[in-house]
């Protein structure tokens, strides 16, 4: 695992001082924290409760481009109020998240499934990194 908390996006997230139990990093940020990719393009943050309320006070929610739901974009931080809701429950994703250095991260099996569903070129690359990690275990 790298020192993900030193990355600018994670420092910006920490500076928002959101309640730790109300959000979890998802998407490529999870892969970055586990040392599977060198740099996340952005930081997706699944949010609920007070965390969601706070970010919606900083910027207006907009429709999410890939699925139903809303997102709040603050620089390269993308806060979402759901993560493919037809497949996963927000509360379960956050409550069952891995905790690394006090930050919640959606589980790698969910990230793998998401990458498989989306199938974009970067998702295919990320899946290869996940497979390589699995072979090394």
């Amino acid at each position: 695992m790298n020192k993900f908390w030193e990355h600018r996006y994670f420092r910006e997230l920490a500076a928002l001082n959101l309640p730790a139990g109300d959000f979890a990093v998802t998407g490529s940020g999870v892969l970055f924290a586990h040392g599977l990719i060198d740099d996340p393009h952005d930081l997706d943050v699944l949010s609920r409760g007070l965390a969601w309320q706070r970010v919606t006070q900083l910027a207006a929610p907009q429709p999410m481009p890939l699925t139903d739901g809303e997102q709040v974009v603050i620089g390269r931080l993308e806060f979402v109020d759901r993560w493919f809701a037809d497949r996963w429950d927000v509360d379960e994703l956050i409550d069952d998240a891995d905790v690394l250095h006090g930050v919640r991260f959606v589980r790698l099996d969910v990230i793998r499934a998401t990458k498989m569903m989306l199938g974009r070129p970067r998702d295919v690359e990320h899946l290869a990194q996940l497979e390589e990690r699995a072979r090394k275990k």
Side-chain angles (χ1 to χ4, degrees), residues 5-121:
W5 57 90
E6 293 178 355
H7 191 282
R8 176 174 62 110
Y9 301 159
F10 284 94
R11 289 194 322 263
E12 290 172 3
L13 177 61
L16 293 174
N17 206 24
L18 301 174
D22 276 349
F23 72 89
V25 173
T26 190
S28 61
V30 177
L31 301 179
F32 176 71
H34 284 279
L36 298 172
I37 61 172
D38 291 331
D39 196 31
H41 174 70
D42 56 20
L43 199 62
D44 298 318
V45 184
L46 180 62
S47 308
R48 67 177 175 194
L50 189 54
W52 181 251
Q53 289 174 8
R54 286 188 186 167
V55 298
T56 59
Q57 293 171 351
L58 299 173
Q62 303 292 325
M64 288 175 59
L66 298 176
T67 185
D68 291 337
E70 293 184 314
Q71 69 177 2
V72 171
V73 179
I74 303 170
R76 300 302 267 171
L77 305 180
E78 298 183 7
F79 296 89
V80 297
D81 68 344
R82 64 196 76 191
W83 192 253
F84 300 92
D86 58 330
R87 186 141 184 200
W88 293 289
D89 176 76
V90 171
D91 292 327
E92 287 178 15
L93 288 176
I94 294 174
D95 293 339
D96 295 344
D98 296 323
V99 179
L100 307 171
H101 290 275
V103 179
R104 290 179 180 272
F105 291 88
V106 171
R107 293 185 334 264
L108 279 171
D109 62 302
V110 174
I111 302 306
R112 176 181 285 123
T114 302
K115 299 282 182 185
M116 290 177 73
M117 285 181 346
L118 294 173
R120 302 167 296 189

